[in-house]
């Protein structure tokens, strides 16, 4: 028997998709049964009370959570987000219900044993509810009391070799795609650089360093599986400088129907025979491909690495061999200003250990933002306020055509007077001799 | 500037403002020590937290810093 009636939440379970409400009810029941005979360190009915407070919020149309205060464990200035219920008498199980962010391993590789242990730890010292993974990429452990924070941290660091992630005005936990471990599209080792920068910038990750949050994300290719271009202040997207490799025989295999397109991803329905013209050539955003006389040709200079052709015919087309990444800056979600996608700062850079060139770009950007950024101003907003040209100056990066989306649409690159022969001054009298007013 | 002197200035300025304001953005500290680079001030402020002269307060998205024990305390966030 549920502790609280939840008719509004029950309705959410009636849809076609798996519901978090069902998950919560399952967890509430499991805690009540306690088949593992655990000595729960926070109230056993915490999940029941969570369902209750959520139902009340739906009924009232407003939240019953307060947040703030606690930042982390001793020595840390991030990783814990304080949460308190504003109806503690009604829902004592969630009166204090803090969130812990745990730095996920690069590429999110786990053993089953590790996940079992982590869940057992959180059943024991927390609510048992996890979010794998939060939008930051972290393992999110939802709901525990203040006195459990140090205990959980000790276990995480000493038994599971795991650290807390970032929150507040810190560097947030760097996140990456699965990369070269499993994906043939990856143009660089996303896990290696994600791990390296996580280690290099431990101080920024664990203690507030900036005017606001700062996020790195690493995508191995322009498919952008971690959506770095939309979600991170500094986005690293794998790319190549040379040509898409074409296997002419495999192209014929696709055209002849021997190889399923999109690696068979759309095989649940009969879409008819594969039409290379309609499904690949006509969909190329730059029109840089042609298929004639049974031959596929690509004008690589025009290619913008949209990945569509490679996704459709992965056995016939492969990423180039001269690989690296592009660095984009300034993406953000709409909190203060509107949402922004990243702007291209470095068109191509090799991604090689010890990543000194990349670290130089990062630190130049940080120095500028720390100096000039207003309180709670994201990097993207500073770029908008002071101009992209200023960013180029501060990072010692020369303006290049790739910085301009198209002629005259984002003309943020201006000449300075000392760069123009003759400067801005002119002799008007001399000019008037040859030109009437 | 001497580290001890910088710490003294920070404590003095925060104490002076403590009647009206108890929590400050990191950027506010840059203005207190204008001759130092922001990164040096950041390191000093974090050091002062470690020494328990200052303390953090975070909303989850933004972190603020104040004199330890001044203003609303993290442990009292659940109180009205």
């Amino acid at each position: 028997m549920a502790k609280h009636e939840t008719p509004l939440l029950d309705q959410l379970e009636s849809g076609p998709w798996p519901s978090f409400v069902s998950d919560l009810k399952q967890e509430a029941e499991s805690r009540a049964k306690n088949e593992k005979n655990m000595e729960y360190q926070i109230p056993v009915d915490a999940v029941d009370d969570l369902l209750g407070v959520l139902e009340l919020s739906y009924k009232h149309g407003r939240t019953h959570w307060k947040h703030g205060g606690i930042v982390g464990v001793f020595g840390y200035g991030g990783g814990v987000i304080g949460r308190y219920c504003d109806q503690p008498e009604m829902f004592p199980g969630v009166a204090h219900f803090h969130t812990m962010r745990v730095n996920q391993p690069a590429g999110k590789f786990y053993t089953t044993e590790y996940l079992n242990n982590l869940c057992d730890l959180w059943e024991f010292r927390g609510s048992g509810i996890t979010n794998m993974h939060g939008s930051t990429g972290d393992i999110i452990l939802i709901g525990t009391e203040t006195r459990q924070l140090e205990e959980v941290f000790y276990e995480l660091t000493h038994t599971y070799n795991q650290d807390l992630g970032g929150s507040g005005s810190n560097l947030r936990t760097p996140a990456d795609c699965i990369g070269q471990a499993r994906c043939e599209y990856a143009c660089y080792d996303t896990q290696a650089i994600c791990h390296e920068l996580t280690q290099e910038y431990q101080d920024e990750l664990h203690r507030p360093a900036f005017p606001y949050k700062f996020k790195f994300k690493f995508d191995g290719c322009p498919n952008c599986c971690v959506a770095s271009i939309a979600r991170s202040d500094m986005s690293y997207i794998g790319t190549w400088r040379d040509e898409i490799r074409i296997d002419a025989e495999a192209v014929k295999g696709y055209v002849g129907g021997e190889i399923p397109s999109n690696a068979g991803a759309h095989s649940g329905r009969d879409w008819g025979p594969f039409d290379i013209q309609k499904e690949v050539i006509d969909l190329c955003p730059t029109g840089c491909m042609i298929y004639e006389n049974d031959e596929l040709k690509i004008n690589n200079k025009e290619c913008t690495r949209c990945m569509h052709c490679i996704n459709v015919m992965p056995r016939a087309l492969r990423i180039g061999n001269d690989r690296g990444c592009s660095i984009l800056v300034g993406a953000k979600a709409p909190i203060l200003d509107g949402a922004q996608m990243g702007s291209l700062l470095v068109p191509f850079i090799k991604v090689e250990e010890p990543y000194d060139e990349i670290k130089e770009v990062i630190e130049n950007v940080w120095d500028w933002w720390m100096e000039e950024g207003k309180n709670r101003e994201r990097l993207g907003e500073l770029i908008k306020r002071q101009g992209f040209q200023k960013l180029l100056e501060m990072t010692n990066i020369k303006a290049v055509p790739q910085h301009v989306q198209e002629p005259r649409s984002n003309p943020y690159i201006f000449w300075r007077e000392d760069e123009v022969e003759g400067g801005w001054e002119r002799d008007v009298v001399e000019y008037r001799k040859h030109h009437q007013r | 500037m001497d580290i001890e002197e910088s710490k003294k200035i920070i404590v003095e300025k925060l104490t002076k403002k403590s009647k009206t304001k108890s929590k400050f953005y990191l950027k506010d500290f840059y203005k207190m020590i204008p001759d130092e680079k922001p990164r040096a001030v950041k390191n000093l402020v974090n050091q002062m937290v470690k020494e328990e002269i200052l303390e953090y307060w975070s909303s989850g998205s933004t972190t603020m810093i104040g004199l330890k024990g001044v203003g609303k305390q993290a442990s009292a966030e659940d109180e009205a």
Side-chain angles (χ1 to χ4, degrees):
Chain A
M1 178 68 191
K3 185 177 173 189
H4 305 282
E5 291 287 311
T6 55
L8 296 172
L9 293 182
D10 298 346
Q11 200 187 11
L12 293 178
E13 291 182 284
S14 62
W17 306 104
S19 167
F20 74 96
V21 176
S22 307
D23 286 350
L24 290 176
K25 285 181 178 173
Q26 189 185 327
E27 177 61 15
E29 206 181 310
S30 156
R31 281 176 80 87
K33 278 189 193 159
N34 193 11
E35 283 175 350
K36 285 187 181 172
N37 273 328
M38 235 177 233
E39 283 182 43
Y40 294 126
Q41 298 296 300
I42 75 162
V44 62
D45 55 358
V47 186
D48 286 293
D49 280 352
L50 180 66
L51 285 160
V53 73
L54 189 59
E55 176 76 18
L56 189 69
S57 296
Y58 280 14
K59 197 174 152 194
H60 290 166
R62 58 183 179 268
T63 185
H64 285 289
W65 292 110
K66 300 191 288 182
H67 67 124
I70 288 177
V71 289
V73 292
F74 186 73
Y76 277 31
V80 175
I81 297 132
R83 297 269 182 257
Y84 306 88
C85 177
D86 72 3
Q87 293 294 342
E89 290 84 18
M90 220 186 294
F91 307 107
V94 293
H96 293 199
F97 208 65
H98 310 315
T99 296
M100 295 186 84
R101 285 199 181 137
V102 181
N103 193 330
Q104 81 286 3
K108 302 188 181 81
F109 282 92
Y110 304 103
T111 61
T112 314
E113 186 193 9
Y114 171 81
L115 288 174
N116 273 326
N117 288 338
L118 189 73
C119 290
D120 283 348
L121 169 66
W122 196 240
E123 287 280 10
F124 177 47
R125 297 207 174 271
S127 70
I129 305 166
T130 64
N131 177 7
M132 304 286 282
H133 298 81
S135 53
T136 49
D138 298 89
I139 302 164
I140 309 280
L141 303 178
I142 301 169
T144 196
E145 294 178 351
T146 309
R147 64 199 161 127
Q148 296 302 324
L149 297 172
E150 291 286 351
E151 305 282 354
V152 174
F153 179 65
Y154 184 90
E155 280 296 313
L156 283 173
T157 47
H158 290 74
T159 312
Y160 303 118
N161 195 24
Q162 202 78 45
D163 200 0
L164 289 186
S167 67
S169 303
N170 299 24
L171 170 66
R172 301 303 181 84
T173 316
D176 62 337
C177 71
I178 204 158
Q180 289 174 337
R182 296 293 301 273
C183 181
E184 65 195 71
Y185 298 158
C187 298
Y188 66 96
D189 190 344
T190 51
Q191 292 177 52
I193 188 172
C194 185
H195 184 74
E196 167 65 22
L197 295 188
T198 303
Q199 298 295 344
E200 175 82 15
Y201 298 119
Q202 281 284 295
D203 193 41
E204 285 79 1
L205 182 58
H206 294 310
R207 281 161 281 280
F210 305 122
Y212 202 19
K213 62 180 93 163
F214 192 92
K215 299 175 184 178
F216 288 141
K217 294 190 194 294
F218 305 91
D219 274 305
C221 81
N223 275 332
C224 247
C225 290
V226 288
S228 66
I229 195 170
R231 307 194 300 149
S232 60
D233 298 272
M234 204 172 235
S235 151
Y236 302 80
I237 303 176
T239 189
W240 59 92
R241 271 191 296 203
D242 54 350
E243 296 169 349
I244 294 175
R245 289 173 290 158
I246 304 175
D247 178 341
E249 283 308 305
V251 174
K252 283 181 193 157
Y254 279 105
V255 174
E258 290 102 56
I259 308 173
S261 63
N262 291 288
H266 304 300
S267 56
R269 186 180 139 183
D270 184 8
W271 294 87
F274 177 66
D275 182 342
I276 192 170
Q277 186 66 39
K278 192 173 140 201
E279 294 176 44
V280 179
I281 311 294
D282 292 349
L283 295 179
C284 176
T286 61
C288 73
M289 308 180 87
I290 188 166
Y291 185 72
E292 58 184 11
N293 305 325
D294 295 338
E295 197 185 354
L296 178 68
K297 289 180 190 160
I298 302 174
N299 179 2
N300 281 279
K301 276 189 178 170
E302 293 299 319
C303 172
T304 51
R305 316 288 186 267
C306 83
M307 294 295 288
H308 178 71
C309 60
I310 296 178
N311 291 336
V312 176
M313 306 193 294
R315 276 172 67 177
L317 302 176
R318 293 180 173 196
I319 57 171
N321 280 323
D322 186 8
R323 300 168 200 156
C325 80
S326 300
I327 303 179
L328 290 88
V329 288
K332 57 178 279 293
I335 294 183
L336 290 189
D337 207 340
Q340 264 174 246
M341 297 285 268
S343 300
L344 184 73
L345 178 65
V346 180
F348 186 89
I349 191 166
K350 280 280 185 187
V351 187
E352 286 162 352
E353 289 179 48
Y355 312 111
D356 286 342
E357 274 186 296
I358 290 177
K359 287 175 190 168
E360 195 185 327
V361 176
I362 293 169
E363 284 162 29
N364 283 339
V365 168
W366 280 353
D367 283 344
W368 177 51
W369 181 49
M370 286 167 84
E371 185 106 34
E372 298 290 331
K374 292 182 182 175
N375 293 324
R376 304 196 74 212
E377 182 175 55
R378 293 284 288 273
L379 178 63
E381 289 150 354
L382 175 63
I383 294 171
K384 262 174 89 175
R385 184 162 62 82
Q386 293 204 346
F388 196 86
Q389 190 189 16
K390 186 78 181 166
L391 173 68
L392 293 178
E393 267 173 41
M394 301 311 291
T395 49
N396 300 314
I397 292 173
K398 276 189 78 173
V400 289
Q402 286 93 331
H403 289 141
V404 185
Q405 191 166 4
E406 63 223 17
R408 299 179 207 288
S409 83
N410 56 342
Y412 43 70
I413 294 151
F414 301 101
W415 298 105
R416 281 198 303 266
E417 188 170 7
D418 58 350
E419 294 171 324
V420 179
E421 202 180 332
W424 300 149
E425 297 302 318
R426 63 176 179 175
D427 185 345
V428 178
V429 178
E430 181 62 24
Y431 178 81
R432 285 285 162 237
K433 281 183 192 167
H434 310 288
H435 303 276
Q436 290 180 13
R437 187 175 284 275
Chain B
M1 191 184 279
D2 177 50
I3 289 181
E4 288 308 314
E5 203 181 322
S6 300
K7 284 184 187 174
K8 217 175 125 191
I9 291 174
I10 288 174
V11 173
E12 263 173 27
K13 296 214 170 182
L14 295 189
T15 312
K16 210 171 154 189
K17 288 185 182 175
S18 63
K19 276 184 190 161
T20 52
K21 202 175 170 187
S22 62
K23 291 173 179 64
F24 299 81
Y25 287 108
L26 182 59
K27 218 173 153 57
D28 299 333
F29 291 85
Y30 300 165
K31 288 178 210 149
M32 295 176 200
I33 322 280
D35 299 335
E36 285 290 350
K37 289 242 171 212
R39 194 167 292 217
V41 179
K42 180 262 292 182
N43 288 338
L44 179 67
V45 167
N46 286 335
Q47 179 62 31
M48 289 173 79
V49 173
K50 211 168 153 191
E51 290 167 5
E52 302 193 15
I53 302 168
L54 304 178
E55 65 184 358
Y56 301 125
W57 182 97
S58 172
S59 66
S61 72
T62 317
T63 310
M64 304 198 80
I65 300 150
L67 282 172
K68 192 170 173 69
V70 176
K72 191 165 184 176
Q73 295 296 289
S75 56
E77 286 294 338
D78 59 335
E79 293 163 16

